[in-house]
Amino acid sequence: DGGITQSPKYLFRKEGQNVTLSCEQNLNHDAMYWYRQDPGQGLRLIYYSQIVNDFQKGDIAEGYSVSREKKESFPLTVTSAQKNPTAFYLCASSTPFGGAGTEAFFGQGTRLTVV
Amino acid sequence: QKEVEQDPGPLSVPEGAIVSLNCTYSNSAFQYFMWYRQYSRKGPELLMYTYSSGNKEDGRFTAQVDKSSKYISLFIRDSQPSDSATYLCAMSEFDDYKLSFGAGTTVTVRA
């Protein structure tokens, strides 16, 4: 089945540690995204990538880093510089919104908790 | 001011009622308008997709776009308890990769 796989589903991190969230897609989509979701704030864009080896900062990139070495993979690292990392993280992929039937597909999310 | 404004609710309606959801936006370059449904602790899934202005109907769901007012709506007819979820509006410019989301409205349909 085609889709987006995020892992792990739940992640606990001690303060001061870096953690990496995995996102893999087999939809052959060029674009991939990372969003953060907090209660009452909707989805906020962290980083996005339109093509391999290229990515752009979103609205809340501080304290996060990404890489895009393969078309299928777009891992997100939450660094110790992120002051409030506890949140629900969503990965998505899409084709450009230039034709009928294009849409962003989302993974099932990773819930990160700092302990 | 946020680029996309959406009342977070929550909204509670009896089964069979019409649910009315809406978003306003400030970017006149937005061309594609989407509604996503998100169940608790799950990723969002696309419900409706509209290009430019007009209406689109899919079963019990109707999406409306009024670009002159920068206002979009989603109507759910004959609502069911299974429609209880958070509904997010999203929009993008032509041939753009970025989506801008509203805050999401949480809907509960009471049996």
Side-chain angles (χ1 to χ4, degrees):
Chain A
D1 280 89
I4 299 180
T5 302
Q6 286 187 243
S7 61
K9 190 172 182 180
Y10 298 97
L11 186 58
F12 296 88
R13 188 195 93 173
K14 292 183 179 179
E15 285 196 32
Q17 285 183 338
N18 294 353
V19 289
T20 297
L21 283 58
S22 171
C23 179
E24 303 277 332
Q25 57 103 354
N26 60 4
L27 299 165
N28 200 33
H29 285 164
D30 291 318
M32 296 187 74
Y33 315 77
W34 275 105
Y35 289 92
R36 170 181 171 141
Q37 188 174 33
D38 295 283
Q41 295 199 46
L43 274 64
R44 292 184 290 167
L45 184 63
I46 304 173
Y47 269 97
Y48 67 105
S49 168
Q50 299 180 20
I51 197 168
V52 173
N53 293 323
D54 187 46
F55 47 83
Q56 286 79 42
K57 292 182 179 180
D59 301 318
I60 55 165
E62 185 176 351
Y64 300 97
S65 66
V66 293
S67 63
R68 187 84 185 277
E69 297 176 2
K70 298 187 301 181
K71 188 175 185 177
E72 302 79 17
S73 178
F74 192 40
L76 173 74
T77 297
V78 184
T79 75
S80 57
Q82 170 49 236
K83 298 305 178 189
N84 186 23
T86 295
F88 190 50
Y89 291 87
L90 286 160
C91 179
S93 72
S94 79
T95 54
F97 293 98
T102 54
E103 65 176 278
F105 288 84
F106 283 85
Q108 291 303 293
T110 293
R111 187 165 299 277
L112 173 64
T113 304
V114 174
V115 296
Chain B
Q1 184 188 6
K2 291 182 180 179
E3 200 170 37
V4 181
E5 298 278 0
Q6 182 178 9
D7 186 343
L11 189 61
S12 179
V13 300
E15 185 175 357
I18 295 175
V19 177
S20 175
L21 305 167
N22 57 75
C23 292
T24 58
Y25 62 94
S26 56
N27 183 354
S28 58
F30 284 146
Q31 296 279 353
Y32 295 94
F33 303 91
M34 287 144 275
W35 287 95
Y36 281 82
R37 178 175 62 194
Q38 185 179 24
Y39 292 114
S40 182
R41 297 187 178 88
K42 300 290 186 184
E45 55 179 343
L46 183 68
L47 262 183
M48 303 282 289
Y49 171 102
T50 309
Y51 170 67
S52 194
S53 286
N55 295 357
K56 188 172 184 179
E57 192 171 314
D58 184 2
R60 297 184 295 111
F61 298 89
T62 300
Q64 293 182 351
V65 175
D66 182 349
K67 290 190 69 180
S68 62
S69 302
K70 297 190 181 68
Y71 185 91
I72 70 170
S73 302
L74 177 71
F75 300 96
I76 307 174
R77 292 183 299 280
D78 187 25
S79 58
Q80 304 295 310
S82 58
D83 294 326
S84 298
T86 297
Y87 292 81
L88 300 126
C89 63
M91 41 199 85
S92 75
E93 299 181 17
F94 179 76
D95 210 21
D96 191 8
Y97 287 89
K98 287 183 60 178
L99 278 177
S100 295
F101 281 86
T105 301
T106 299
V107 175
T108 300
V109 180
R110 308 185 306 272

